[in-house]
């Protein structure tokens, strides 16, 4: 019996512990009630201990300009007086936020997938119901709420392969090479994670265009890879020059091992569409230097210039012959967020990966399996984009009308933006051949540059901040995308409605003229480039 009794010392200790715990709890509760500070204690996670690679990440599209725009929006809602009545966020390619209407057929299919009871409703067309039923049959429990395979729902992967084969006029696509992703960004990050390795001079170098979409520089910083910048030729409509690629590659080889070549076509932020000849030269260069090619083709439906056409890197690679097609490692990316649908919030996307070593491919599948699967509603939205209504189906007429309307309006706004910006002294804008953005060069007077430097700001950041404070227009400084030394730009979307875009451009023009007057002692000398000189020569009478 004595053995079952707790030791007296243990009893006293337990009682003491309980008393101390109760006291600590009472003190904590009193501190919460009275607002009295507790004992100061150093946090585990501080700026000194946070991952230094995270601190190195910069993402201009959602940077300090956008934070300030949010502050101004809240101030307007609270009734504070400003010199404008609304904040126009032209900083990001978010089509629906700018008023673009959803494509009816896409929303119908996703709605049916999310709420299958609607399959009994006569309000939905048969072709939408058929697609929804097919997707649901491939989902666990026939529910969009179940996990899919890490690579994505099989029938959607098969539809994507069929879409690519049709898009590329018969160039075969294997559905086993298709991976559904959480937007294109997820696929891009996954491929970079797979490739980046080594230390010192063997560390992976990633070649990116300048200007570039900040996702790339952010990912490279986070992964501690080496940035290899190659500059697009602004004087020739942001063309990609093969000699510039070679310069960047040879310079970088002295400090790292270049392994990846990233291309954005159509371009973001620059809006150019690369020619077939240019793509051939790029692929030949990648073949010669044994580079993994990452082709960001999310704007493939957004081509507006009549003399331009989208050429997929895969199709061009195929046409270069078996030696190229069977050897160049290529990952190409697409998304629901851009094109004519603008469904950013669904976070749908895919990548097609060619010529990857089977053992490495197994590592890729393992990496993707860690995040379980991409959002299944986003996968369903992606399926509609690659498997739209056919000519004989009931939704075809409305779908085609809505799609063409979106793309026609974007083409009109691309030309409108270029025309108005080029009418402003001190602004030069290349043709917006594709994508959703203009990236004009702006003249900033020396006095403004000096003021920016005194405030530890990039000159185009000062310009964009003053534009926001005076007009409510939110654009992104070119320094957030990269630009040649001594040049200044900003990126703006062409997504606002034509009426709002015209007002925006008019206000921007007035602001720019005020800015020049404020900071210039004399009439500003508008920067003249080789592009301007060529245009002036061509306009002279014969």
């Amino acid at each position: 019996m004595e053995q079952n009794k707790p030791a007296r010392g243990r009893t006293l200790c337990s009682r003491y512990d309980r008393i101390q715990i109760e006291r600590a709890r009472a003190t904590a509760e009193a501190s919460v009630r009275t607002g009295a500070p507790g004992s100061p204690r150093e946090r585990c996670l501080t700026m000194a201990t946070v991952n230094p690679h995270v601190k190195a990440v910069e993402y201009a599209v959602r940077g300090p300009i956008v934070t300030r725009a949010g502050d101004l929006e809240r101030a307007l809602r609270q009734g504070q007086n400003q010199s404008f009545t609304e904040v126009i966020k032209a900083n990001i390619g978010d089509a629906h936020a700018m008023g673009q209407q959803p494509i009816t057929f896409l929303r119908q299919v996703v709605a049916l997938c999310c709420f299958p009871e609607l399959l009994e409703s006569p309000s939905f067309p048969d072709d939408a119901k058929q697609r929804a039923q097919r997707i649901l049959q491939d989902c666990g429990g026939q529910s969009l709420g179940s996990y899919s395979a890490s690579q994505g729902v099989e029938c959607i992967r098969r539809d994507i392969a069929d879409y690519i084969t049709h898009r590329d006029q018969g160039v075969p696509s294997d559905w086993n090479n298709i991976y559904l992703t959480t937007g294109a960004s997820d696929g891009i990050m996954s491929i970079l994670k797979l490739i980046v390795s080594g230390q010192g001079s063997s560390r992976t170098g990633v070649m990116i265009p300048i200007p570039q979409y900040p996702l790339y520089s952010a990912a490279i910083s986070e992964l501690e890879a080496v940035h290899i910048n190659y500059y697009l030729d602004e004087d020739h409509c942001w063309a990609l020059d093969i000699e510039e690629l070679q310069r960047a590659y040879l310079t970088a080889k002295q400090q790292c091992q270049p392994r990846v070549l990233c291309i954005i076509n159509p371009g973001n932020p620059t809006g150019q569409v690369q020619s077939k000849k240019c793509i051939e030269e790029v692929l030949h260069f990648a073949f010669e230097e044994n580079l993994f090619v990452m082709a960001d083709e999310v704007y493939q439906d957004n081509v507006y210039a009549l003399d331009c056409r989208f050429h997929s890197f895969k199709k061009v690679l195929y046409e270069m012959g078996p030696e190229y097609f069977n050897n160049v490692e290529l990952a190409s990316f697409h998304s629901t967020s851009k094109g004519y649908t603008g469904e950013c919030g669904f976070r749908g996307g895919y990548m097609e990966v060619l010529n990857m070593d089977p053992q490495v491919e197994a590592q890729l599948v393992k990496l993707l399996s860690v995040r379980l699967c991409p959002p299944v509603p986003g996968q369903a939205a992606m399926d509609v984009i690659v498997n739209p209504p056919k000519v004989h189906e009931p939704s075809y007429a409305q779908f085609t009308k809505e799609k063409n309307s979106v793309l026609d309006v974007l083409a009109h706004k691309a030309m409108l933006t270029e025309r108005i910006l080029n009418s402003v002294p001190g602004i030069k804008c290349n043709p917006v051949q594709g994508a959703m953005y203009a990236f004009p060069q702006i003249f900033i007077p020396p006095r403004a540059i000096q003021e920016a430097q005194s405030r530890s700001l990039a000159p185009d950041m000062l310009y964009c901040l003053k534009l926001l404070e005076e007009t409510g227009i939110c654009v992104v400084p070119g320094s957030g995308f990269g630009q040649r030394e001594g040049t200044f730009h900003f990126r703006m979307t062409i997504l606002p409605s034509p009426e709002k875009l015209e007002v925006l451009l008019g206000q921007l023009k007035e602001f720019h003229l005020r800015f020049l007057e404020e900071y210039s002692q004399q009439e500003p000398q508008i920067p003249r480039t080789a592009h301007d000189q060529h245009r002036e020569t061509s306009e002279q009478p014969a």
Side-chain angles (χ1 to χ4, degrees):
M1 294 292 292
E2 291 295 324
Q3 292 178 347
N4 294 328
K5 289 183 179 180
R8 183 171 181 272
R10 193 185 311 158
T11 303
L12 289 174
C13 182
S14 300
R15 188 178 302 160
Y16 176 80
D17 289 343
R18 286 198 300 272
I19 292 170
Q20 292 298 102
I21 290 169
E22 290 300 325
R23 284 178 177 171
R25 184 179 297 152
T27 301
E29 289 174 353
S31 296
V32 171
R33 286 195 303 270
T34 63
S39 301
R41 174 181 167 179
E42 184 178 351
R43 288 186 171 89
C44 170
L45 186 61
T46 67
M47 286 303 291
T49 60
V50 76
N51 186 331
H53 308 312
V54 172
K55 288 195 286 187
V57 168
E58 293 183 1
Y59 190 66
V61 174
R62 291 178 180 259
I65 289 275
V66 184
T67 302
R68 179 58 183 152
D71 293 340
L72 291 171
E73 277 188 315
R74 284 187 290 275
L76 285 171
R77 285 197 297 268
Q78 293 166 4
Q80 296 181 23
N81 289 329
Q82 303 290 342
S83 57
F84 45 86
T85 57
E86 67 171 326
V87 173
I88 303 177
K89 289 187 176 178
N91 61 294
I92 194 167
D94 190 350
H96 291 198
M98 288 287 100
Q100 180 177 309
Q101 294 303 301
I103 298 296
T104 302
F105 186 73
L106 186 149
R107 289 296 182 90
Q108 287 174 331
V109 173
V110 175
L112 289 163
C113 288
C114 289
F115 193 59
E117 286 82 352
L118 293 174
L119 289 165
E120 305 300 322
S121 170
S123 300
F124 290 79
D126 288 341
D127 48 355
K129 292 179 179 179
Q130 290 163 4
R131 280 166 176 75
Q133 287 171 327
R134 180 168 175 267
I135 292 169
L136 288 172
Q137 286 170 2
D138 255 23
C139 294
Q142 297 193 9
S143 171
L144 219 60
S146 60
Y147 288 129
S148 75
S150 297
Q151 299 98 313
V153 176
E154 181 176 319
C155 71
I156 298 176
R157 295 168 68 200
R158 290 182 180 274
D159 285 344
I160 292 169
D162 290 342
Y163 161 81
I164 293 171
T165 300
H166 176 74
R167 180 199 69 188
D168 292 343
Q169 300 175 309
V171 178
S173 176
D174 183 349
W175 70 274
N176 290 294
N177 294 331
I178 305 297
Y179 301 83
L180 274 298
T181 56
T182 307
S185 304
D186 172 48
I188 291 165
M189 194 69 183
S190 296
I191 293 295
L192 287 174
K193 283 181 181 178
L194 201 65
I195 295 175
V196 173
S197 65
Q199 297 294 329
S201 60
S202 66
R203 190 65 176 165
T204 297
V206 182
M207 302 184 71
I208 57 173
I210 298 296
Q212 52 95 29
Y213 179 50
L215 163 69
Y216 291 93
S217 56
I220 293 167
S221 295
E222 183 180 342
L223 297 172
E224 202 184 1
V226 179
H227 298 73
I228 305 175
N229 298 336
Y230 65 88
Y231 289 88
L232 301 177
D233 187 353
E234 184 172 11
D235 291 341
H236 293 88
C237 205
W238 300 111
L240 199 166
D241 178 29
I242 199 68
E243 291 184 2
E244 170 60 13
L245 272 184
Q246 292 167 340
R247 178 207 63 78
Y249 176 84
L250 292 174
T251 303
K253 281 209 73 169
Q254 300 172 24
Q255 59 171 327
C256 68
Q257 180 56 56
R259 287 195 176 93
V260 189
L261 173 58
C262 300
I263 313 286
I264 309 173
N265 181 50
N268 175 11
T270 47
Q272 87 286 6
V273 179
Q274 300 295 356
S275 67
K276 182 179 179 181
K277 180 177 182 297
C278 173
I279 295 172
E280 288 174 344
E281 291 177 346
V282 169
L283 289 170
H284 176 73
F285 171 76
F287 176 80
E288 290 293 322
E289 304 299 348
N290 196 26
L291 297 173
F292 191 108
V293 179
M294 297 176 63
D296 184 338
E297 298 176 335
V298 301
Y299 297 99
Q300 57 190 259
D301 288 311
N302 301 103
V303 177
Y304 316 122
L306 297 178
D307 58 343
C308 292
R309 179 184 165 197
F310 171 74
H311 300 276
S312 77
F313 269 69
K314 181 187 176 183
K315 182 173 186 289
V316 175
L317 187 64
Y318 180 84
E319 292 171 345
M320 291 173 71
E323 186 178 12
Y324 288 89
F325 188 67
N326 295 329
N327 286 289
V328 174
E329 295 158 274
L330 170 67
S332 52
F333 307 89
H334 198 13
S335 169
T336 62
S337 302
K338 309 305 175 185
Y340 56 90
T341 57
E343 294 282 8
C344 302
F346 277 116
R347 306 309 300 132
Y350 74 78
M351 60 181 174
E352 182 183 29
V353 182
L354 300 181
N355 298 319
M356 182 172 280
D357 180 286
Q359 290 181 306
V360 176
E361 189 174 356
Q363 296 298 310
L364 174 60
V365 173
K366 179 182 71 175
L367 181 64
L368 296 176
S369 69
V370 172
R371 50 87 158 126
L372 297 177
C373 71
V376 183
Q379 296 187 49
M382 192 75 247
D383 188 71
V384 178
I385 293 171
V386 300
N387 186 23
K390 307 295 190 293
V391 178
H392 63 277
E393 292 182 313
S395 299
Y396 178 79
Q398 181 181 4
F399 173 85
T400 304
K401 180 181 178 182
E402 291 177 355
K403 173 183 175 180
N404 290 342
S405 174
V406 170
L407 294 175
D408 289 347
V409 169
L410 284 170
H412 166 71
K413 292 189 289 188
M415 291 185 287
L416 176 73
T417 301
E418 177 197 348
R419 176 173 57 80
I420 293 180
L421 288 177
N422 280 327
S423 73
V424 184
I427 296 182
K428 172 190 168 293
C429 182
N430 273 321
V432 183
Q433 297 174 334
M436 297 176 172
Y437 315 98
F439 195 69
Q441 184 177 146
I442 51 176
F443 172 69
I444 297 183
R447 284 179 56 210
I449 294 174
Q450 291 168 5
E451 179 179 325
Q453 291 170 343
S454 70
R455 295 170 58 179
S456 300
L457 295 173
D460 47 15
M461 173 65 85
L462 172 69
Y463 181 95
C464 293
L465 278 171
K466 291 181 76 70
L467 173 67
L468 174 62
E469 297 286 351
E470 293 184 25
T471 68
I473 296 170
C474 179
V475 298
V476 188
S479 49
F481 300 88
Q483 55 197 352
R484 283 196 179 274
E485 188 73 26
T487 67
F488 308 106
H489 303 77
F490 63 80
R491 189 192 81 162
M492 61 168 284
T493 72
I494 60 170
L495 291 175
S497 68
E499 299 76 22
K500 184 171 285 190
L501 182 63
E502 198 154 2
V503 170
L504 181 158
L505 291 167
Q507 292 177 343
L508 197 156
K509 179 177 181 177
E510 293 173 2
F511 164 81
H512 187 78
L513 294 175
R514 290 197 307 271
F515 185 86
L516 292 182
E517 184 178 1
E518 178 182 353
Y519 286 102
S520 296
Q521 300 285 353
Q522 56 188 10
E523 189 68 19
Q525 294 297 310
I526 302 169
R528 296 173 73 256
T529 66
H531 175 79
D532 294 319
Q533 294 168 5
H534 173 76
R535 182 175 59 188
E536 291 165 6
T537 303
S538 64
E539 290 174 353
Q540 291 179 357

